Amino acid sequence: MNTYSVLQKFNPATDYFTDPYPHIIIKNCLPTQTYELLYENFPVQTIKDKFPLMEGHTWRGNANEFLGENKIEIKQPWFDFLTYHTSHDFYKNILKIFENEIKDENYYNNIVNEIPGIRHSPGQRNVVTDCQFVVHKPVTVSTRTSHIDNPVEMYAGLLYMRQRGDNAKGGDFVVYDSEPVSSVIAKTGRQIPKSHEIKESKTIKYKENTFVMFWNSNKAVHGVTPRIDPGHDRLSINIIAEVMKRNRLFNLNQITE
């Protein structure tokens, strides 16, 4: 398996969970030497300089900006990391892990062998992948309350790269148990209405070299806990795949409260 793969230590017996929806948790997912190489070269200032601050707290650097024709320069380890985690090989490995979920979704059967393109790159593909640098400012509110991801998203993964000396509490990933969600609050990033009952199932601590991924569905409610006394940026890598909008996995009504 690829040297930089977040899946190289994956053990389905201990790292794969089906309740309340399919997800994986891999602690210390990368070998120490590999993780250290990436950590020391995380391009925090480049992300802040080259990408807009969104919603007052978050910068995101998309893979296409670093791998495309007019690419922003990054260190070779990160170039290799982004290349692999947007590749057909990685995509196939993820589909294999969530194979039972895919079999339940008939319309996905015709894209299992699709060769994905990189999101925002030229050309039209049925499937696109992305691997994003994410930098959150040290704010005390949650940057993502309980929500559902975009219905065109197949899977979403997070690699935590907590900074040394970051003693803040919170910033943890929360998995919620819920009945299927049919409606979300408009213009809030698909936030779950207060009238829809959800229950915390588990919390994955914001800890360095921890990888979390889930298969997207209208049951995949998740969020991030507020940070307490933050003094450092919150660093992570977001790894996703999406289908074309006409192939969306589920539909959501947009409501107001």
Side-chain angles (χ1 to χ4, degrees):
M1 184 170 285
N2 186 280
T3 304
Y4 292 103
S5 176
V6 294
L7 298 176
Q8 58 190 287
K9 294 184 180 181
F10 175 66
N11 180 346
T14 57
D15 302 331
Y16 182 79
F17 307 89
T18 58
D19 185 38
Y21 50 82
H23 62 283
I24 63 178
I25 304 169
I26 311 174
K27 297 178 180 179
N28 297 313
C29 65
L30 295 171
T32 301
Q33 185 175 359
T34 301
Y35 179 82
E36 290 296 327
L37 188 60
L38 294 169
Y39 177 83
E40 294 297 333
N41 290 286
F42 195 108
V44 176
Q45 196 57 50
T46 298
I47 303 304
K48 292 181 178 181
D49 291 343
K50 299 293 186 179
F51 297 92
L53 179 65
M54 299 184 296
E55 299 178 356
H57 53 63
T58 304
W59 292 270
R60 290 181 184 272
N62 301 317
N64 180 58
E65 300 290 342
F66 301 95
L67 304 179
E69 291 183 5
N70 300 313
K71 55 178 176 281
I72 298 169
E73 186 175 349
I74 49 173
K75 298 294 186 181
Q76 190 65 43
W78 276 115
F79 185 89
D80 294 341
F81 184 96
L82 298 185
T83 299
Y84 179 70
H85 290 95
T86 54
S87 70
H88 189 208
D89 185 39
F90 180 76
Y91 171 76
K92 288 190 298 182
N93 284 332
I94 295 298
L95 297 191
K96 183 64 178 176
I97 290 173
F98 292 110
E99 184 176 12
N100 290 333
E101 285 302 303
I102 298 169
K103 288 178 179 177
D104 290 340
E105 304 297 336
N106 292 330
Y107 85 118
Y108 270 146
N109 291 340
N110 65 347
I111 60 173
V112 169
N113 295 315
E114 286 280 351
I115 298 177
I118 297 177
R119 195 163 67 138
H120 305 310
S121 61
Q124 185 170 315
R125 298 290 183 99
N126 290 326
V127 176
V128 292
T129 57
D130 205 350
C131 186
Q132 306 167 330
F133 291 104
V134 183
V135 179
H136 287 104
K137 291 176 70 174
V139 295
T140 55
V141 296
S142 172
T143 56
R144 287 306 268 147
T145 52
S146 57
H147 67 283
I148 287 283
D149 278 7
N150 193 323
V152 301
E153 184 180 271
M154 298 170 68
Y155 58 75
L158 285 168
L159 171 61
Y160 286 145
M161 304 201 73
R162 184 174 187 140
Q163 295 193 74
R164 310 284 157 72
D166 181 357
N167 297 317
K169 295 181 179 180
D172 306 321
F173 186 88
V174 183
V175 173
Y176 291 99
D177 194 356
S178 164
E179 292 298 317
V181 175
S182 59
S183 299
V184 293
I185 303 174
K187 298 181 181 180
T188 62
R190 295 168 297 280
Q191 184 176 330
I192 305 303
K194 293 179 181 178
S195 57
H196 186 94
E197 184 176 350
I198 61 173
K199 179 176 66 176
E200 184 177 321
S201 176
K202 69 176 64 170
T203 299
I204 299 93
K205 292 293 184 181
Y206 173 50
K207 186 176 181 181
E208 66 175 17
N209 205 10
T210 297
F211 180 68
V212 183
M213 176 173 274
F214 62 90
W215 186 261
N216 195 28
S217 73
N218 59 353
K219 276 185 60 68
V221 182
H222 57 285
V224 178
T225 62
R227 299 180 72 195
I228 301 173
D229 297 326
H232 293 71
D233 294 325
R234 183 175 180 270
L235 308 182
S236 61
I237 301 297
N238 191 27
I239 302 172
I240 65 172
E242 294 180 348
V243 295
M244 292 182 64
K245 289 185 178 180
R246 61 181 172 81
N247 290 329
R248 64 178 55 223
L249 176 59
F250 53 92
N251 293 306
L252 294 173
N253 298 316
Q254 298 285 331
I255 63 172
T256 56
E257 284 199 336

